[in-house]
mmCIF file of all heavy atoms in Angstrom:
data_model
loop_
_atom_site.group_PDB
_atom_site.id
_atom_site.type_symbol
_atom_site.label_atom_id
_atom_site.label_comp_id
_atom_site.label_asym_id
_atom_site.label_seq_id
_atom_site.Cartn_x
_atom_site.Cartn_y
_atom_site.Cartn_z
ATOM 1 N N ARG A 164 23.961 12.177 4.475
ATOM 2 C CA ARG A 164 24.097 11.672 5.796
ATOM 3 C C ARG A 164 22.850 10.842 6.141
ATOM 4 O O ARG A 164 21.940 10.619 5.236
ATOM 5 C CB ARG A 164 24.263 12.819 6.769
ATOM 6 C CG ARG A 164 23.329 13.934 6.568
ATOM 7 C CD ARG A 164 23.541 15.181 7.503
ATOM 8 N NE ARG A 164 22.590 16.235 7.313
ATOM 9 C CZ ARG A 164 22.665 17.397 7.974
ATOM 10 N NH1 ARG A 164 23.572 17.534 8.918
ATOM 11 N NH2 ARG A 164 21.762 18.373 7.718
ATOM 12 N N THR A 165 22.730 10.444 7.332
ATOM 13 C CA THR A 165 21.591 9.505 7.703
ATOM 14 C C THR A 165 20.569 10.438 8.390
ATOM 15 O O THR A 165 20.781 11.617 8.808
ATOM 16 C CB THR A 165 22.013 8.439 8.657
ATOM 17 O OG1 THR A 165 22.473 8.979 9.802
ATOM 18 C CG2 THR A 165 23.050 7.566 8.104
ATOM 19 N N LEU A 166 19.366 9.976 8.592
ATOM 20 C CA LEU A 166 18.272 10.671 9.309
ATOM 21 C C LEU A 166 18.678 10.972 10.830
ATOM 22 O O LEU A 166 18.428 12.079 11.098
ATOM 23 C CB LEU A 166 16.937 9.927 9.250
ATOM 24 C CG LEU A 166 16.291 9.711 7.939
ATOM 25 C CD1 LEU A 166 15.040 8.959 8.042
ATOM 26 C CD2 LEU A 166 15.984 11.009 7.174
ATOM 27 N N TRP A 167 19.395 10.081 11.373
ATOM 28 C CA TRP A 167 19.675 10.333 12.747
ATOM 29 C C TRP A 167 20.884 11.499 12.757
ATOM 30 O O TRP A 167 20.638 12.376 13.640
ATOM 31 C CB TRP A 167 20.423 9.087 13.359
ATOM 32 C CG TRP A 167 20.854 9.260 14.717
ATOM 33 C CD1 TRP A 167 22.145 9.550 15.108
ATOM 34 C CD2 TRP A 167 20.133 9.314 15.938
ATOM 35 N NE1 TRP A 167 22.236 9.736 16.449
ATOM 36 C CE2 TRP A 167 20.938 9.530 16.968
ATOM 37 C CE3 TRP A 167 18.706 9.142 16.156
ATOM 38 C CZ2 TRP A 167 20.493 9.641 18.374
ATOM 39 C CZ3 TRP A 167 18.313 9.122 17.473
ATOM 40 C CH2 TRP A 167 19.224 9.504 18.477
ATOM 41 N N GLU A 168 21.767 11.434 11.895
ATOM 42 C CA GLU A 168 22.741 12.376 11.849
ATOM 43 C C GLU A 168 22.141 13.798 11.532
ATOM 44 O O GLU A 168 22.543 14.812 12.099
ATOM 45 C CB GLU A 168 23.788 12.204 10.769
ATOM 46 C CG GLU A 168 24.679 11.042 11.208
ATOM 47 C CD GLU A 168 25.571 10.496 10.018
ATOM 48 O OE1 GLU A 168 25.317 10.814 8.830
ATOM 49 O OE2 GLU A 168 26.560 9.748 10.295
ATOM 50 N N ALA A 169 21.144 13.960 10.542
ATOM 51 C CA ALA A 169 20.441 15.122 10.338
ATOM 52 C C ALA A 169 19.685 15.671 11.510
ATOM 53 O O ALA A 169 19.652 16.913 11.849
ATOM 54 C CB ALA A 169 19.519 14.846 9.246
ATOM 55 N N MET A 170 19.044 14.713 12.194
ATOM 56 C CA MET A 170 18.269 15.187 13.381
ATOM 57 C C MET A 170 19.161 15.715 14.550
ATOM 58 O O MET A 170 18.855 16.793 15.127
ATOM 59 C CB MET A 170 17.441 14.012 13.981
ATOM 60 C CG MET A 170 16.328 14.357 14.878
ATOM 61 S SD MET A 170 16.905 14.132 16.695
ATOM 62 C CE MET A 170 16.883 12.512 16.760
ATOM 63 N N VAL A 171 20.329 15.037 14.775
ATOM 64 C CA VAL A 171 21.221 15.497 15.805
ATOM 65 C C VAL A 171 21.830 16.799 15.495
ATOM 66 O O VAL A 171 21.969 17.808 16.288
ATOM 67 C CB VAL A 171 22.347 14.457 16.060
ATOM 68 C CG1 VAL A 171 23.418 15.003 17.001
ATOM 69 C CG2 VAL A 171 21.665 13.195 16.680
ATOM 70 N N SER A 172 22.246 16.919 14.211
ATOM 71 C CA SER A 172 22.818 18.183 13.713
ATOM 72 C C SER A 172 21.887 19.316 13.768
ATOM 73 O O SER A 172 22.232 20.500 14.253
ATOM 74 C CB SER A 172 23.356 18.062 12.338
ATOM 75 O OG SER A 172 24.298 17.039 12.178
ATOM 76 N N THR A 173 20.632 19.136 13.461
ATOM 77 C CA THR A 173 19.726 20.188 13.703
ATOM 78 C C THR A 173 19.350 20.560 15.126
ATOM 79 O O THR A 173 19.201 21.751 15.379
ATOM 80 C CB THR A 173 18.256 19.711 13.022
ATOM 81 O OG1 THR A 173 18.439 19.302 11.653
ATOM 82 C CG2 THR A 173 17.168 20.914 13.044
ATOM 83 N N GLY A 174 19.382 19.548 15.935
ATOM 84 C CA GLY A 174 19.264 19.837 17.340
ATOM 85 C C GLY A 174 20.415 20.771 17.931
ATOM 86 O O GLY A 174 20.161 21.541 18.744
ATOM 87 N N ARG A 175 21.542 20.503 17.413
ATOM 88 C CA ARG A 175 22.750 21.434 17.906
ATOM 89 C C ARG A 175 22.561 22.774 17.297
ATOM 90 O O ARG A 175 22.947 23.782 17.946
ATOM 91 C CB ARG A 175 24.035 20.759 17.412
ATOM 92 C CG ARG A 175 24.408 19.511 18.103
ATOM 93 C CD ARG A 175 25.683 18.931 17.552
ATOM 94 N NE ARG A 175 26.206 17.754 18.256
ATOM 95 C CZ ARG A 175 27.179 16.955 17.960
ATOM 96 N NH1 ARG A 175 27.743 17.310 16.705
ATOM 97 N NH2 ARG A 175 27.503 15.905 18.637
ATOM 98 N N SER A 176 22.014 22.849 16.156
ATOM 99 C CA SER A 176 21.903 24.266 15.565
ATOM 100 C C SER A 176 20.759 25.141 16.204
ATOM 101 O O SER A 176 20.889 26.295 16.255
ATOM 102 C CB SER A 176 21.588 24.135 14.009
ATOM 103 O OG SER A 176 22.671 23.456 13.395
ATOM 104 N N PHE A 177 19.679 24.403 16.779
ATOM 105 C CA PHE A 177 18.624 25.173 17.259
ATOM 106 C C PHE A 177 18.473 24.842 18.767
ATOM 107 O O PHE A 177 17.321 24.831 19.327
ATOM 108 C CB PHE A 177 17.287 24.739 16.667
ATOM 109 C CG PHE A 177 17.291 25.201 15.159
ATOM 110 C CD1 PHE A 177 17.685 24.301 14.178
ATOM 111 C CD2 PHE A 177 17.015 26.340 14.753
ATOM 112 C CE1 PHE A 177 17.763 24.565 12.892
ATOM 113 C CE2 PHE A 177 17.001 26.768 13.405
ATOM 114 C CZ PHE A 177 17.355 25.897 12.512
ATOM 115 N N THR A 178 19.651 24.604 19.528
ATOM 116 C CA THR A 178 19.648 24.439 21.032
ATOM 117 C C THR A 178 19.125 25.688 21.581
ATOM 118 O O THR A 178 19.455 26.795 21.209
ATOM 119 C CB THR A 178 20.997 24.059 21.506
ATOM 120 O OG1 THR A 178 21.389 22.771 20.850
ATOM 121 C CG2 THR A 178 21.015 23.916 22.948
ATOM 122 N N ARG A 194 14.707 19.312 21.448
ATOM 123 C CA ARG A 194 15.548 18.479 20.605
ATOM 124 C C ARG A 194 16.415 17.556 21.345
ATOM 125 O O ARG A 194 16.690 16.483 20.976
ATOM 126 C CB ARG A 194 16.269 19.306 19.455
ATOM 127 C CG ARG A 194 15.227 19.801 18.489
ATOM 128 C CD ARG A 194 15.972 20.758 17.405
ATOM 129 N NE ARG A 194 15.102 20.966 16.241
ATOM 130 C CZ ARG A 194 14.074 21.699 16.236
ATOM 131 N NH1 ARG A 194 13.722 22.371 17.241
ATOM 132 N NH2 ARG A 194 13.380 21.763 15.127
ATOM 133 N N LEU A 197 14.358 14.808 22.735
ATOM 134 C CA LEU A 197 14.042 13.870 21.773
ATOM 135 C C LEU A 197 15.163 12.848 21.491
ATOM 136 O O LEU A 197 15.102 11.697 21.263
ATOM 137 C CB LEU A 197 13.777 14.651 20.434
ATOM 138 C CG LEU A 197 13.393 13.699 19.171
ATOM 139 C CD1 LEU A 197 12.319 12.746 19.323
ATOM 140 C CD2 LEU A 197 13.045 14.599 17.944
ATOM 141 N N VAL A 198 16.451 13.319 21.389
ATOM 142 C CA VAL A 198 17.637 12.537 21.168
ATOM 143 C C VAL A 198 17.782 11.553 22.406
ATOM 144 O O VAL A 198 18.000 10.399 22.203
ATOM 145 C CB VAL A 198 18.842 13.405 21.121
ATOM 146 C CG1 VAL A 198 20.207 12.572 21.043
ATOM 147 C CG2 VAL A 198 18.840 14.124 19.807
ATOM 148 N N LEU A 202 17.461 7.472 22.154
ATOM 149 C CA LEU A 202 18.535 6.647 22.695
ATOM 150 C C LEU A 202 18.226 5.563 23.757
ATOM 151 O O LEU A 202 18.621 4.570 23.757
ATOM 152 C CB LEU A 202 19.653 7.426 23.140
ATOM 153 C CG LEU A 202 20.384 8.209 21.955
ATOM 154 C CD1 LEU A 202 21.527 9.200 22.565
ATOM 155 C CD2 LEU A 202 21.178 7.239 21.005
ATOM 156 N N PHE A 234 12.785 7.488 15.521
ATOM 157 C CA PHE A 234 14.233 7.716 15.644
ATOM 158 C C PHE A 234 15.044 6.810 16.460
ATOM 159 O O PHE A 234 16.283 6.710 16.295
ATOM 160 C CB PHE A 234 14.433 9.273 16.166
ATOM 161 C CG PHE A 234 14.224 10.296 15.150
ATOM 162 C CD1 PHE A 234 13.052 11.086 15.133
ATOM 163 C CD2 PHE A 234 15.191 10.477 14.054
ATOM 164 C CE1 PHE A 234 12.840 12.112 14.167
ATOM 165 C CE2 PHE A 234 14.902 11.376 13.055
ATOM 166 C CZ PHE A 234 13.774 12.139 13.096
ATOM 167 N N ALA A 314 24.189 10.122 24.854
ATOM 168 C CA ALA A 314 23.506 11.438 24.525
ATOM 169 C C ALA A 314 24.530 12.399 24.628
ATOM 170 O O ALA A 314 24.414 13.533 24.061
ATOM 171 C CB ALA A 314 22.404 11.744 25.470
ATOM 172 N N SER A 316 27.502 12.164 23.129
ATOM 173 C CA SER A 316 27.928 12.257 21.845
ATOM 174 C C SER A 316 27.097 11.264 20.905
ATOM 175 O O SER A 316 27.583 10.222 20.644
ATOM 176 C CB SER A 316 29.363 11.735 21.884
ATOM 177 O OG SER A 316 30.021 11.854 20.534
ATOM 178 N N PRO A 317 25.965 11.827 20.557
ATOM 179 C CA PRO A 317 25.004 10.878 19.909
ATOM 180 C C PRO A 317 25.497 10.423 18.382
ATOM 181 O O PRO A 317 25.063 9.427 18.007
ATOM 182 C CB PRO A 317 23.668 11.746 19.864
ATOM 183 C CG PRO A 317 24.112 13.010 20.018
ATOM 184 C CD PRO A 317 25.363 13.104 20.855
ATOM 185 N N LEU A 318 26.223 11.319 17.718
ATOM 186 C CA LEU A 318 26.668 10.949 16.491
ATOM 187 C C LEU A 318 27.692 9.760 16.619
ATOM 188 O O LEU A 318 27.691 8.799 15.757
ATOM 189 C CB LEU A 318 27.307 12.145 15.862
ATOM 190 C CG LEU A 318 26.331 13.263 15.367
ATOM 191 C CD1 LEU A 318 27.170 14.375 14.687
ATOM 192 C CD2 LEU A 318 25.328 12.793 14.363
ATOM 193 N N ARG A 319 28.643 9.884 17.564
ATOM 194 C CA ARG A 319 29.653 8.847 17.725
ATOM 195 C C ARG A 319 28.941 7.548 18.158
ATOM 196 O O ARG A 319 29.297 6.473 17.623
ATOM 197 C CB ARG A 319 30.652 9.287 18.795
ATOM 198 C CG ARG A 319 31.801 8.356 19.014
ATOM 199 C CD ARG A 319 32.708 8.805 20.023
ATOM 200 N NE ARG A 319 33.326 10.027 19.625
ATOM 201 C CZ ARG A 319 34.108 10.841 20.387
ATOM 202 N NH1 ARG A 319 34.410 10.471 21.685
ATOM 203 N NH2 ARG A 319 34.619 12.064 20.001
ATOM 204 N N HIS A 321 25.976 6.562 17.381
ATOM 205 C CA HIS A 321 25.316 6.097 16.147
ATOM 206 C C HIS A 321 26.296 5.402 15.251
ATOM 207 O O HIS A 321 25.968 4.456 14.726
ATOM 208 C CB HIS A 321 24.609 7.255 15.422
ATOM 209 C CG HIS A 321 23.989 6.952 14.112
ATOM 210 N ND1 HIS A 321 22.995 6.046 14.027
ATOM 211 C CD2 HIS A 321 24.259 7.397 12.886
ATOM 212 C CE1 HIS A 321 22.660 6.015 12.703
ATOM 213 N NE2 HIS A 321 23.422 6.745 12.057
ATOM 214 N N PHE A 396 13.833 19.272 10.565
ATOM 215 C CA PHE A 396 15.110 19.588 9.943
ATOM 216 C C PHE A 396 15.227 20.963 9.660
ATOM 217 O O PHE A 396 16.532 21.526 9.491
ATOM 218 C CB PHE A 396 15.514 18.767 8.700
ATOM 219 C CG PHE A 396 15.440 17.203 9.070
ATOM 220 C CD1 PHE A 396 15.178 16.253 8.094
ATOM 221 C CD2 PHE A 396 15.677 16.707 10.318
ATOM 222 C CE1 PHE A 396 15.243 14.988 8.366
ATOM 223 C CE2 PHE A 396 15.738 15.346 10.724
ATOM 224 C CZ PHE A 396 15.511 14.460 9.678
#
Side-chain angles (χ1 to χ4, degrees):
R164 49 186 178 177
T165 65
L166 292 181
W167 177 263
E168 291 169 342
M170 193 264 290
V171 172
S172 299
T173 305
R175 289 177 175 176
S176 301
F177 296 96
T178 300
R194 284 176 166 78
L197 175 57
V198 170
L202 288 170
F234 280 110
S316 183
L318 290 180
R319 184 179 300 174
H321 171 64
F396 296 156

